[in-house]
Amino acid sequence: MRDRPMILRVYQVGAVEAVREQYRAGCRSTLIELPTGCGKTLVFAEIARLVVERGRRVLVLAHRTELLDQALSKLEAAGVRAAIEQGAKRAGDAPVVVASVQTLRGARLASWPVDAFALIVIDEAHHATAASYRAVLEHFRAARVLGVTATPDRADGQALGQVFESVAYRYGMRQAIRDGWLSPIRARRVLVDGVDLGSVHARAGDLDRAELAVVMADEKALHGVAAPLLELAGDRRTIVFAVDVAHARSLAEVLNRYEPGVAMAIDGTATATERAAMLEAFRAGAFRVLVNCALFTEGFDEPSLACVAIARPTKSRALYAQMIGRGTRLYPGKADCLVLDFTGPAGRHRLVGPADALAGETLDDDVRDLVNAMIAAEGWQLELESVLEAAAVDAVKQRDQAKVTAIARYRAEALDPFVGDMPAMQADRWARDLATERQRRALEAFGLDKLPAELTKGEASRWFSALEARRVAGLATLRQVRRLKRYRIDARRMTVKQAGETLDRLSAGGWRPSALWGVAS
């Protein structure tokens, strides 16, 4: 037990207070989002302590042994007595029960009174839509629920809103880096020869794992990852995410061909003792590159990691953020985290990358394309925050230029030949906003159709002024000019009356140009 109060960071205090406010407002279930390395466990340990102080019990649910052990450690550091409920382990009367969701089911779940807990905490809450979690929540239906996660979005499209009524607090990776709580990210995109991801099908919102494994485990692809990885990572302690167990082992084997003893692969077939021994050897520097497949996307804390190599392309922003989060923790002497993004032509797929994870949302295609071009430049490992800011600025410039081009093309084709020179567009900020629906309807009433979506208030205003000037002068309408143009008659300088009489003569003559012969011009 602790002998002094646990000190929380400013944002952690904010998260605790935000959760309490949600409960005071009558919300039963709420969620907090904090990036990997920002102390989600400390936050829920403090909230659990406050509940226990009032004489109530707390249940913490997780799906991995590593998460259970971490939660137990943080709860004890917060001065809270806790015990694990998993397999043969029984929590007894501990105020806080840290349980494996795989264990707490069936008869074992039913043995607990439905009012046993005042609060249920779900660690890595993006898994909370699974039936196993829902069964627990249904059994303890009177308890309040708190979800904690770094990545609330799911590739399979299942919304966490099915479980949580609100998001109490959100603190993103980008802000945490700016505030100095996480390491800055440098990124390099590596196009792997022979890798064509366009041939891989999508399953449940992401690339089909079996098909992806075939592509990435090809001998040429393995070398296309291994050689640049060793060159770019240098002496950084590195974690590599592979597609599956076979791919992880093959990649480690190829890495060791280039530099004997540099890499080891680890997977779920290793016992807990074997896994602990391998991780201890890694921390001690016995080898530099740890290759895994999905084993360490959650519940793995090794702050000295300074390079994350993504050798399993994905469409899931959540998965990508989980992977690079392994390298963003602060560590003495560590200036930044290098993310190596190994990929290939994506075809129809919209793959995510380092910038999507940093931004906390899926980027617009044009911004992502600019970022990818920048971080793929030979000889550069660019600081990702600066790249993202520059790409966002460049994308806005390109969009603005596209708008100007679209408006100019429409004006040149549909309007300029009719009204001639127009007064200059207003230069104030108002004029650059998109045209209102009222402006668009007014222009359509003059006969302008298929107006560009990019039309601005300023352009709409000057177009209207030019058309209104013609109307006041009694000159032919745009519709009249267009109809007469089909018969090679330039009606721009005709009056409305003259144009109307000409159209009447054409109509009376069966719309034959000969009907106008002998008509004085």
Side-chain angles (χ1 to χ4, degrees):
M1 296 295 176
R2 64 179 183 175
D3 54 9
R4 59 181 180 177
M6 182 168 56
I7 299 175
L8 299 179
R9 297 169 179 172
V10 172
Y11 66 85
Q12 292 170 335
V13 172
V16 172
E17 290 306 312
V19 170
R20 298 180 73 188
E21 181 59 35
Q22 287 294 308
Y23 292 149
R24 283 193 289 265
C27 184
R28 185 211 168 198
S29 59
T30 193
L31 185 73
I32 58 175
E33 178 188 343
L34 295 176
T36 300
C38 282
K40 297 183 295 296
T41 312
L42 287 174
V43 172
F44 76 66
E46 175 63 12
I47 294 171
R49 183 186 68 81
L50 295 173
V51 173
V52 171
E53 278 187 349
R54 297 199 301 272
R56 304 299 303 277
R57 300 182 78 184
V58 176
L59 171 64
V60 178
L61 282 178
H63 68 295
R64 285 188 171 180
T65 299
E66 293 87 351
L67 295 172
L68 301 180
D69 292 340
Q70 287 176 18
L72 183 65
S73 174
K74 292 296 189 294
L75 286 161
E76 290 177 343
V80 178
R81 185 167 67 89
I84 289 178
E85 180 86 9
Q86 181 190 33
K89 297 179 180 177
R90 298 281 181 164
D93 63 351
V96 178
V97 175
V98 183
S100 160
V101 70
Q102 294 91 339
T103 292
L104 207 58
R105 62 182 181 176
R108 191 147 174 182
L109 174 60
S111 69
W112 289 87
V114 296
D115 60 351
F117 302 105
L119 175 68
I120 299 173
V121 177
I122 302 178
D123 198 3
E124 304 294 353
H126 46 281
H127 298 292
T129 58
S132 54
Y133 285 91
R134 292 192 178 198
V136 176
L137 298 183
E138 177 61 25
H139 182 75
F140 302 111
R141 64 177 63 95
R144 286 172 171 166
V145 182
L146 171 63
V148 293
T149 183
T151 51
D153 46 340
R154 292 173 56 99
D156 61 10
Q158 291 194 52
L160 291 183
Q162 300 172 30
V163 177
F164 301 101
E165 299 170 25
S166 68
V167 178
Y169 193 81
R170 178 178 284 119
Y171 186 66
M173 180 189 294
R174 195 173 189 181
Q175 190 59 52
I177 291 173
R178 288 172 176 171
D179 293 343
W181 297 117
L182 293 177
S183 294
I185 297 173
R186 291 190 178 275
R188 178 68 183 272
R189 189 168 188 254
V190 181
L191 290 174
V192 182
D193 288 342
V195 168
D196 180 8
L197 301 172
S199 63
V200 179
H201 290 88
R203 297 281 186 275
D206 204 356
L207 299 177
D208 181 88
R209 189 173 175 182
E211 294 181 17
L212 181 61
V214 171
V215 172
M216 297 302 295
D218 177 81
E219 185 72 12
K220 186 176 182 181
L222 292 171
H223 287 274
V225 171
L229 188 157
L230 292 174
E231 177 187 351
L232 296 170
D235 61 358
R236 292 174 182 255
R237 191 164 292 174
T238 300
I239 187 168
V240 182
F241 287 93
V243 182
D244 61 13
V245 172
H247 180 222
R249 292 174 177 174
S250 296
L251 186 53
E253 191 270 328
V254 172
L255 284 164
N256 287 323
R257 286 190 227 164
Y258 283 88
E259 185 178 334
V262 73
M264 289 192 71
I266 186 170
D267 56 68
T269 63
T271 66
T273 301
E274 291 170 337
R275 190 183 309 174
M278 187 177 292
L279 291 179
E280 186 57 37
F282 179 61
R283 294 185 177 104
F287 60 100
R288 196 170 68 248
V289 181
L290 178 65
V291 188
N292 83 110
C293 62
L295 192 61
F296 296 131
T297 53
E298 300 167 342
F300 176 59
D301 298 343
E302 180 45 56
S304 66
L305 283 170
C307 178
V308 179
I310 312 296
R312 56 99 62 251
T314 180
K315 299 176 67 173
S316 169
R317 193 202 69 83
L319 174 58
Y320 207 103
Q322 289 280 7
M323 290 189 291
I324 70 171
R326 299 308 111 196
T328 54
R329 284 182 170 83
L330 300 176
Y331 188 75
K334 174 176 158 183
D336 52 46
C337 172
L338 174 63
V339 175
L340 299 178
D341 184 41
F342 293 96
T343 188
R348 66 191 181 281
H349 299 301
R350 192 183 193 196
L351 303 180
V352 299
D356 296 283
L358 180 63
E361 60 187 5
T362 302
L363 296 173
D364 291 334
D365 289 341
D366 54 354
V367 176
R368 182 190 296 104
D369 289 344
L370 287 166
V371 169
N372 287 341
M374 292 178 190
I375 64 176
E378 286 293 333
W380 294 96
Q381 294 173 5
L382 299 176
E383 199 275 313
L384 194 55
E385 171 71 17
S386 300
V387 171
L388 190 53
E389 289 180 352
V393 170
D394 287 350
V396 169
K397 290 179 180 177
Q398 291 181 9
R399 291 171 196 163
D400 288 345
Q401 184 57 48
K403 290 178 184 178
V404 170
T405 301
I407 293 170
R409 183 182 299 114
Y410 183 92
R411 189 179 65 231
E413 295 174 355
L415 201 61
D416 286 351
F418 176 60
V419 300
D421 293 335
M422 289 185 287
M425 186 178 71
Q426 301 175 60
D428 57 37
R429 184 173 181 178
W430 168 88
R432 297 193 295 271
D433 293 339
L434 287 177
T436 65
E437 281 303 311
R438 184 176 180 181
Q439 286 180 308
R440 297 178 73 91
R441 286 196 298 270
L443 291 174
E444 289 167 353
F446 275 113
L448 286 174
D449 55 4
K450 298 180 181 178
L451 292 167
E454 303 86 355
L455 183 63
T456 61
K457 287 181 178 178
E459 281 288 348
S461 179
R462 72 169 180 157
W463 293 7
F464 180 83
S465 296
L467 292 165
E468 179 65 10
R470 284 188 61 87
R471 188 191 68 77
V472 172
L475 295 175
T477 68
L478 181 57
R479 289 189 178 93
Q480 288 175 320
V481 171
R482 284 177 175 169
R483 292 185 70 184
L484 289 171
K485 186 178 180 181
R486 299 174 193 167
Y487 302 95
R488 299 184 180 180
I489 299 172
D490 186 353
R492 287 177 296 178
R493 292 181 176 83
M494 288 183 180
T495 64
V496 170
K497 182 180 179 181
Q498 290 170 333
E501 291 174 346
T502 304
L503 287 166
D504 287 344
R505 288 179 179 275
L506 282 167
S507 175
W511 298 104
R512 293 187 298 271
S514 60
L516 300 178
W517 293 353
V519 176
S521 60

